[in-house]
């Protein structure tokens, strides 16, 4: 685990250092949860989380090792472009392309996880797709408040932690034995609920289509069904995601203020 963190941190050196803020914070959280523990550890980690993290590390490492030499891997090309001309939008495209590929290629591992863990996977994905839109398509992300998008979603700023830090809404342990997705929803704090159900939920379909086009990966759109995030999530359990009108006044106000 220390090796993973060291490798991830080494990528962000020099003028790229600030861009690693959100990613490294999330990586430290996954290490603390234990999901990146080796398979022979006690307790063992999560095969899915390990695989997705390895996907991200591999793409970034290849981009560095090639040192500008053209790659046949489109995700590596995006990381090379970021290294050559860093910007928030370039970072999100490269980062999210690697993460999405990890999701898509490791669906069987995801289906072996507990429902609560799979719910968390969906929340993590929709949040990082949303922060990309804040930078690249701020009107989609925040409606009338679009001018705030590039500032709030900048991976170099501390504000992005509000959107990508899952510690506010999820337990720091693994596996989530004894917990259901429903219990996680009910236990979520006010701010996570405001973000997920007051802001993101009303634009989630458009968000997935935007990401599919931006990342040149049409299968991203398939991770959203019947108006709800659905990665490794059976159709008969889609109802766990709030749909339609926000349930409380403050969530309705947030939805109205950021209406696409």
């Amino acid at each position: 685990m220390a090796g993973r963190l060291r490798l991830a941190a080494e990528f962000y050196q020099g003028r790229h250092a600030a861009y690693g803020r959100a990613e490294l914070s999330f990586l430290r959280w996954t290490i603390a949860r234990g999901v990146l523990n080796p398979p022979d550890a006690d307790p063992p980690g999560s095969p899915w989380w390990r695989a997705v993290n390895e996907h991200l590390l591999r793409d970034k490492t290849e981009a560095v090792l090639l040192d500008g030499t053209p790659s046949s891997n489109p995700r590596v090309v995006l990381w090379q472009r970021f290294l050559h001309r860093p910007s928030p939008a370039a970072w999100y495209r490269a980062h999210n392309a690697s993460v999405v590929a990890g999701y898509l290629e490791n669906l069987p591992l995801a289906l072996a996880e507990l429902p609560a863990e799979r719910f968390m996977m969906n929340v993590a994905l929709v949040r990082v797709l949303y922060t990309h839109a804040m930078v690249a398509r701020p009107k989609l992300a925040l409606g009338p408040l679009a001018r705030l998008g590039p500032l709030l979603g900048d991976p170099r700023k501390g504000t992005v932690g509000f959107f990508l830090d899952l510690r506010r809404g999820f337990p720091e342990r693994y596996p989530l034995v004894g917990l259901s997705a429903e219990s996680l929803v009910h236990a979520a704090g006010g701010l996570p609920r405001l973000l997920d159900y007051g802001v993101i939920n009303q634009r989630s379909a458009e968000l997935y289509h935007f990401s599919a086009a931006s990342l040149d990966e049409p299968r991203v759109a398939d991770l959203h069904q019947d108006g709800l995030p659905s990665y490794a999530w059976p159709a008969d359990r889609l109802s766990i995601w709030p749909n339609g009108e926000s349930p409380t006044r403050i969530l309705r106000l947030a939805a109205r203020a950021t209406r696409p």
Side-chain angles (χ1 to χ4, degrees):
M1 292 182 290
R4 289 173 184 260
L5 182 58
R6 182 174 61 253
L7 185 61
E10 287 175 352
F11 177 83
Y12 296 106
Q13 294 181 345
R15 64 177 180 153
H16 306 101
Y19 285 96
R21 181 172 192 154
E23 181 188 324
L24 296 178
S25 176
F26 189 86
L27 179 56
R28 292 186 186 97
W29 179 72
T30 58
I31 291 174
R33 284 195 67 213
V35 294
L36 299 183
N37 288 352
D40 58 353
D42 184 19
S46 161
W48 184 87
W49 282 101
R50 287 176 57 85
V52 173
N53 177 253
E54 286 165 8
H55 220 294
L56 177 60
L57 290 177
R58 184 169 61 247
D59 288 346
K60 293 193 304 180
T61 300
E62 185 176 340
V64 172
L65 293 176
L66 286 175
D67 193 25
T69 302
S71 171
S72 59
N73 183 334
R75 300 184 305 276
V76 173
V77 171
L78 290 177
W79 280 114
Q80 289 177 317
R81 290 175 183 170
F82 164 74
L83 290 172
H84 176 67
R85 187 171 295 179
S87 71
W91 182 83
Y92 275 114
R93 283 195 73 200
H95 176 271
N96 288 9
S98 293
V99 168
V100 162
Y103 270 67
L104 293 170
E105 293 180 16
N106 293 287
L107 179 58
L109 295 179
L111 290 170
E113 297 280 357
L114 294 173
E117 195 71 35
R118 285 184 271 133
F119 176 73
M120 188 185 301
M121 295 171 187
N122 277 282
V123 173
L125 180 61
V126 74
R127 294 263 193 99
V128 78
L129 298 184
Y130 178 71
T131 49
H132 180 193
M134 290 178 70
V135 168
R137 286 280 303 279
K139 196 162 187 178
L140 166 63
L142 288 169
L145 304 180
R147 290 185 179 181
L148 299 176
L151 174 63
L152 296 176
D154 192 328
R156 298 169 295 180
K157 308 295 185 182
T159 51
V160 78
F162 169 70
F163 303 94
L164 300 182
D165 188 349
L166 299 187
R167 286 175 292 186
R168 292 185 176 90
F170 296 103
E172 194 172 277
R173 63 182 175 88
Y174 177 84
L176 297 177
V177 176
L179 294 177
S180 65
E182 290 84 355
S183 68
L184 294 182
V185 171
H186 293 309
L191 288 178
R193 288 183 64 84
L194 182 69
L195 174 62
D196 293 331
Y197 310 136
V199 179
I200 296 179
N201 191 55
Q202 64 177 324
R203 54 178 44 83
S204 58
E206 293 83 358
L207 184 62
Y208 278 75
H209 283 287
F210 154 72
S211 298
S214 177
L215 304 179
D216 196 22
E217 177 48 87
R219 293 179 294 171
V220 176
D222 296 333
L223 304 182
H224 190 276
Q225 298 177 11
D226 298 327
L228 301 167
S230 58
Y231 176 74
W233 202 250
D236 62 351
R237 295 185 62 84
L238 283 174
S239 61
I240 183 61
W241 293 91
N243 204 359
E245 281 294 314
S246 298
T248 66
R249 182 181 180 186
I250 186 64
L251 297 187
R252 288 195 296 270
L253 289 174
R256 190 175 303 137
T258 61
R259 182 170 294 143

